[in-house]
Amino acid sequence: MSRRPDNLTCDRKAVNLTRISRRFAELRANGELGIVAYITAGDPSLDATQRFVLALGEAGADVIELGVPFSDPIADGPTIQRASERALRSGTTLASVLDLVKKIRASREVPLVIFSYFNPILQMGLERFADTAAAAGADGVLATDLTPEESAEYRQIVSARGLDTIFLAAPTSTDERLRKIVDCSSGFLYLISRTGVTGAKEALPEDLPALIRRARRVTQLPIAVGFGISLPGHVSILGGLADAAVVGSALVNEIERAKSPEAAAAALGERVRALKEAARHGMSRREVAP
Amino acid sequence: MSTRTQTAGTGTGRFGPYGGRYVPETLMAPLEELERAYEAAKTDAAFQAEFADLLKNFAGRPTPLQFAVRLTEHLGGPRIYLKREDLLHTGAHKINNAIGQGLLTRKMGKPRIVAETGAGQHGVASATVAARLGLECTVYMGTEDMARQALNVVRMRVLGAEVIGVEAGSRTLKDAINEAMRDWVTNVRTTHYLLGSVLGAHPYPTMVRDFQCVIGREAREQILAAEKRLPTHLYACVGGGSNSIGLFHEFLGDRSVKMIGIEAGGRGTQLGEHAARLAAAQGYSGARPGVLHGTYTYVLQNDDGQIALTHSVSAGLDYPAIGPEHAWLADQGRAEYAAVSDAAALEAGQLLARKEGIIPALETAHALAGLMERLSRFNRNDLVILNLSGRGDKDMDTYRRLL
């Protein structure tokens, strides 16, 4: 188990030892970059999502983020906007996503993160949400439009149930903000690679290594880099720099393109296997942390 | 209610429990930068002098406070004064805020603004100020609104702004704000988001209010000069709520002055048929406190926290959330909110045209319709200021259907 000195400065009393932390500790011990896979739950149906999660897990995804669809996803590009619309049309709600977590957890141990805009969580009620998510077997929560400043009550309630509270850090975050963010985070730090919305891109931003180093200076938490990551080449580059790569829109694109849920599941598995391959070999091989 | 657990006092920019700052992390640094720039501008004599000069010589302030003699006679109720924001350059109060934020954009050294628009008035004001100050300007507008406010689309393009149609959702104001925020989050280092109402994350609700408060400051002086007393009632329409807060705010300390904000009742009381966030007492359903576009306030939504579609004949009121300061004024009972239907607004607009020779914007017509529905509650010596927030040129296609 990795030491987590960030918790020494954190306001939380208990150290959460979720599946997320355990998985990152294993990855760190092996010097291996993790793959965090995002898909929008309920796109095109919750049954299909269940199948996709199993396929992603079997292909080696280290953490799976289940996106809760929202009517007004301001942080998302066209790919995930369309996925949200499909998921809402299929009747997906936060409550039904938590039901799905329970079903998955009955047979699988893959770490699961609930990735939502804040309003659906707020409307369910913070306590009811945290109780239900913890009972279902979720491991962490990320609320896209909730920043450390507005999160005191949320953090207290969510971490009291043993769930990791994951926050976003961005290229525009000052060092002071980065420190504030990591003090509120557990599980891992989600570092946004570029200013902008979600979406697959050809190249990583040139200033990304500097950004990751800046984040690394303020935390020992695992750092997962997301937004615009889609290709094995991206994963290779991140290998020496970060702890995990988050892949989202590229996977959602596969779901959108596929003729059937079976075909989508196969395509997702293939994508993640290629990314894991890049994560395990070549440039991506990390120096084991001292 | 569970949402009550999210309470006041977690930061600046709160109005009671409402307001705050709920945005993706990428926008936090620019919001902090904007807040600093705005705080500095408040005491920056050069900034204030340029703001005052542009309001006077470019926008045309002060605007008249006109006694509506024939309307007053016709209705047989209170004495009614009209605060003529419709006479401003570009035809609505929106220019006050656009000038203020335009100057701030320049002060922050950003060469570009993005803006959303519903009725097109804020888009036109933004495009106008961008041209005057030499800024690039992109305006997002729902395609439904582009169709019903076509004249304003042309005006923005003549002014050199890029107008981008938004096809998502109900293709109205909410969807335009989503897209403007996505542009902002992408181009944040070079771009200021010139938000047009008292909505969004802190400091917008406070800053936009402050830029609009000139309406109430002038009106208070003008009514005291004309009538030697304070008004008994203020009326204004409320979409996000910038013209109403601009009128109300100066009078908040005058406990005798009643404030009434009129929302869009649309074509019915069911969720989806209206844009009434604070009129549950009239049976308008679906509003609860929640988070939309960066702020915690009353939001029209379903039980699962998905934001509802709205309807109003008036594009500028067709929005599911209300400014957080209004939510707080409503909770405290300091201001009263009510809704009127599309039909009542259209009728009121036509009445004002025929009695006073002023064709109001359909947004503004809601305020008059609200006053007319409350006539029985007035005493003969009551004194009303109604904020005539905008002119109706943009709404000719809708008015034409009444002829």
Side-chain angles (χ1 to χ4, degrees), chain B residues 116-194:
Chain B
E116 82 296 341
T117 199
Q121 291 303 115
H122 175 59
V124 169
S126 298
T128 298
V129 168
R132 174 66 182 73
L133 299 179
L135 302 167
E136 271 180 71
C137 178
T138 299
V139 179
Y140 290 92
M141 189 171 189
T143 50
E144 163 80 15
D145 290 341
M146 287 177 79
R148 58 180 164 172
Q149 314 276 216
L151 177 64
N152 275 343
V153 176
V154 178
R155 292 170 79 195
M156 288 184 271
R157 286 178 173 154
V158 170
L159 288 159
E162 176 188 23
V163 182
I164 300 180
V166 179
E167 280 290 349
S170 52
R171 295 172 287 128
T172 57
L173 182 56
K174 168 174 82 86
D175 314 293
I177 294 180
N178 288 343
E179 214 49 47
M181 289 186 82
R182 290 182 187 120
D183 182 314
W184 188 32
V185 83
T186 304
N187 301 298
V188 65
R189 292 189 170 101
T190 59
T191 299
H192 171 63
Y193 180 18
L194 208 168

Side-chain angles (χ1 to χ4, degrees), chain A residues 71-73 150 153 172-173, chain B residues 5 14 21 25 178 182 306:
Chain A
S71 52
D72 295 84
E150 304 287 3
E153 188 180 9
T172 51
S173 306
Chain B
T5 61
R14 289 278 170 178
R21 198 177 255 171
E25 172 60 24
N178 288 343
R182 290 182 187 120
Q306 304 296 338

Side-chain angles (χ1 to χ4, degrees), chain B residues 194-271:
Chain B
L194 208 168
L195 182 59
S197 194
V198 286
L199 296 165
H202 178 66
Y204 283 102
T206 305
M207 176 179 70
V208 175
R209 176 199 73 201
D210 291 350
F211 286 140
Q212 292 293 359
C213 272
V214 64
I215 301 171
R217 277 201 302 275
E218 287 177 8
R220 197 170 187 282
E221 274 181 34
Q222 288 165 322
I223 197 81
L224 287 173
E227 293 276 339
K228 312 285 183 273
R229 61 181 175 128
L230 286 170
T232 56
H233 297 77
L234 306 176
Y235 271 83
C237 63
V238 189
S242 71
N243 91 78
S244 47
I245 208 77
L247 176 64
F248 293 175
H249 202 262
E250 189 69 12
F251 295 89
L252 282 177
D254 301 313
R255 305 306 295 184
S256 65
V257 180
K258 296 190 176 72
M259 304 171 176
I260 300 94
I262 303 296
E263 302 183 281
R267 57 183 166 224
T269 55
Q270 290 307 301
L271 190 58

Side-chain angles (χ1 to χ4, degrees), chain A residues 68-77 81 85 88 92-94 117-120 122-127 144-154 157 168-174 177 180-181 192 194-197 207 227, chain B residues 1-3 5-7 10-12 14 19-30 32 168-169 174-175 177-179 181-183 185-189 288-294 296 299 301-308:
Chain A
V68 177
F70 185 53
S71 52
D72 295 84
I74 55 162
D76 286 300
Q81 286 174 46
E85 285 168 19
L88 288 173
T92 310
T93 64
L94 175 56
Y117 286 82
F118 190 44
N119 197 50
L122 193 59
Q123 297 309 318
M124 177 176 274
L126 296 178
E127 305 222 346
T144 316
D145 50 353
L146 188 67
T147 55
E149 285 83 347
E150 304 287 3
S151 70
E153 188 180 9
Y154 158 92
I157 292 171
L168 300 169
T172 51
S173 306
T174 57
R177 289 203 58 76
K180 205 183 281 188
I181 291 163
I192 298 173
R194 66 181 77 238
T195 61
V197 293
D207 54 2
F227 282 38
Chain B
M1 184 180 294
S2 61
T3 51
T5 61
Q6 184 75 17
T7 48
T10 57
T12 47
R14 289 278 170 178
R21 198 177 255 171
Y22 299 87
V23 292
E25 172 60 24
T26 309
L27 295 178
M28 284 302 283
E32 287 172 350
K174 168 174 82 86
D175 314 293
I177 294 180
N178 288 343
E179 214 49 47
M181 289 186 82
R182 290 182 187 120
D183 182 314
V185 83
T186 304
N187 301 298
V188 65
R189 292 189 170 101
R288 282 196 313 284
V291 168
L292 178 65
H293 293 149
Y296 178 64
V299 181
Q301 54 187 313
N302 71 14
D303 292 342
D304 303 315
Q306 304 296 338
I307 310 306

Side-chain angles (χ1 to χ4, degrees), chain A residues 4 20-21 24 36 63 65 113 142 164-167 185-191 221-225 244 246:
Chain A
R4 309 211 309 138
I20 297 170
S21 299
F24 273 107
V36 177
V63 176
E65 294 178 339
V113 173
L142 195 165
D164 279 324
T165 55
I166 299 151
F167 284 86
S185 302
S186 64
F188 61 94
L189 176 70
Y190 188 130
L191 185 61
L221 273 180
I223 297 175
V225 177
V246 188

